[in-house]
Amino acid sequence: MLTENSLKGLKTKDKRYFKSAGENLLVCVNTNGIKSFFVYYKDIYTKKRKREKIGEYPKISLATARQEAKNFIDDLNAPKVDFMPAWESFFNTQIKNTSTFYQIAVNRYFEKNYKPIFEFLQLNQIGRIEILNALKPHLQKNHYESAKRCLGILKRFFKYCTTYGYIKNNPVDSIELQNIIKKPPISHFATLTEPGKIKNLLANICECDSSVIVKVCAITGILTALRSLNTRELKWRDIDLKSGVVVIEASKMKNKKEFMLTLPKQLIEILK
């Protein structure tokens, strides 16, 4: 089998030639001295032998080229599964048991980003280029967080596909988001730490022209420090005024665990 040293020692000839490196991998030595790696495979439709360029040496090493060739053959021999039924299976088994808010977010990315690019493709036809095309609306507007969430959902989807043998490798693993879009500087929200200012804020909320529901929701959020979504989705059945606790069911929590919080005395009086 071809080694790194023997690869370096391959000489040029009057015509380009190919040297086997084992495991469906060929090395092409060109007349100008450039050495390129090709994977050698049989087309499943035409049954003809074909070559696909992987890269040039030494930009990629022999070991890397062998792994790339193996991944290519694995994907070629993987089951031919269409994107749409795979996505439907993923959504029904992995997403439907999450919060309504998260389901809406996933559906939004599906309709705007995934479906226009992947709808008529098989899973093994989706690579880095197709994924970057799906991210393009966010990349063009330099929306880092949206691109991050969009890519994160895709990574979870392809992990599901590899788990069930639909594909051999997760194509998202080869994409580093920080290499294609600049991460914005972190800007922290303004905070109130002085008791007097907090007191003024609560007084202003009570005196504003908003409805009672909005006022109580705002005060509840401040006194409990619950996530905004959990505060807005609270129902009376979640609150036990007698015991002085609020219980949020697991399906509404980000970590999918039931959450119990003791209510402050001031909030209990307001809710009563």
Side-chain angles (χ1 to χ4, degrees), residues 19-216:
K19 179 77 174 178
S20 174
E23 300 177 5
N24 294 90
L25 183 65
L26 298 174
V27 178
C28 175
V29 183
N30 294 283
T31 55
N32 59 3
I34 294 177
K35 298 168 185 175
S36 304
F37 293 111
F38 285 81
V39 61
Y40 188 53
Y41 67 100
K42 187 176 183 179
D43 190 284
I44 60 174
Y45 300 107
T46 64
K47 306 302 180 183
K48 293 181 179 180
R49 293 285 180 179
K50 291 186 176 182
R51 293 189 292 260
E52 183 81 17
K53 186 176 179 179
I54 296 175
E56 294 181 356
Y57 179 80
K59 290 182 180 179
I60 64 172
S61 67
L62 178 60
T64 300
R66 283 195 171 119
Q67 186 60 50
E68 290 282 339
K70 182 180 183 302
N71 292 345
F72 183 93
I73 297 300
D74 286 345
D75 287 341
L76 195 67
N77 295 329
K80 304 301 181 286
V81 180
D82 292 332
F83 169 77
M84 292 299 285
W87 176 267
E88 184 178 354
S89 175
F90 164 73
F91 190 90
N92 289 336
T93 58
Q94 305 297 310
I95 305 299
K96 271 198 171 179
N97 60 346
T98 62
S99 68
T100 302
F101 179 82
Y102 185 68
Q103 290 183 48
I104 292 172
V106 171
N107 268 323
R108 188 185 303 120
Y109 286 116
F110 170 74
E111 293 292 341
K112 292 186 176 181
N113 299 96
Y114 311 148
K115 188 177 178 181
I117 306 298
F118 307 147
E119 183 176 8
F120 302 108
L121 295 179
Q122 294 176 344
L123 294 179
N124 62 348
Q125 294 175 313
I126 301 174
R128 279 173 284 189
I129 300 301
E130 290 75 22
I131 292 173
L132 290 177
N133 284 337
L135 293 176
K136 189 174 290 184
H138 306 299
L139 300 179
Q140 289 176 334
K141 297 178 181 178
N142 205 34
H143 290 172
Y144 179 86
E145 289 300 327
S146 295
K148 181 180 177 181
R149 286 190 289 269
C150 185
L151 190 64
I153 295 169
L154 264 188
K155 185 169 185 176
R156 184 178 176 184
F157 165 69
F158 282 114
K159 184 177 180 180
Y160 169 83
C161 293
T162 56
T163 300
Y164 285 91
Y166 299 157
I167 51 175
K168 294 290 184 180
N169 304 286
N170 189 333
V172 178
D173 288 341
S174 63
I175 298 176
E176 296 291 341
L177 192 60
Q178 60 267 27
N179 293 334
I180 56 178
I181 184 173
K182 186 177 180 181
K183 185 176 181 179
I186 298 174
S187 56
H188 298 285
F189 292 105
T191 56
L192 295 177
T193 56
E194 298 176 23
K197 290 184 178 181
I198 297 174
K199 181 180 179 181
N200 289 338
L201 173 63
L202 292 172
N204 289 335
I205 291 173
C206 294
E207 294 171 3
C208 73
D209 295 331
S210 297
S211 68
V212 173
I213 294 175
V214 172
K215 293 179 182 180
V216 172

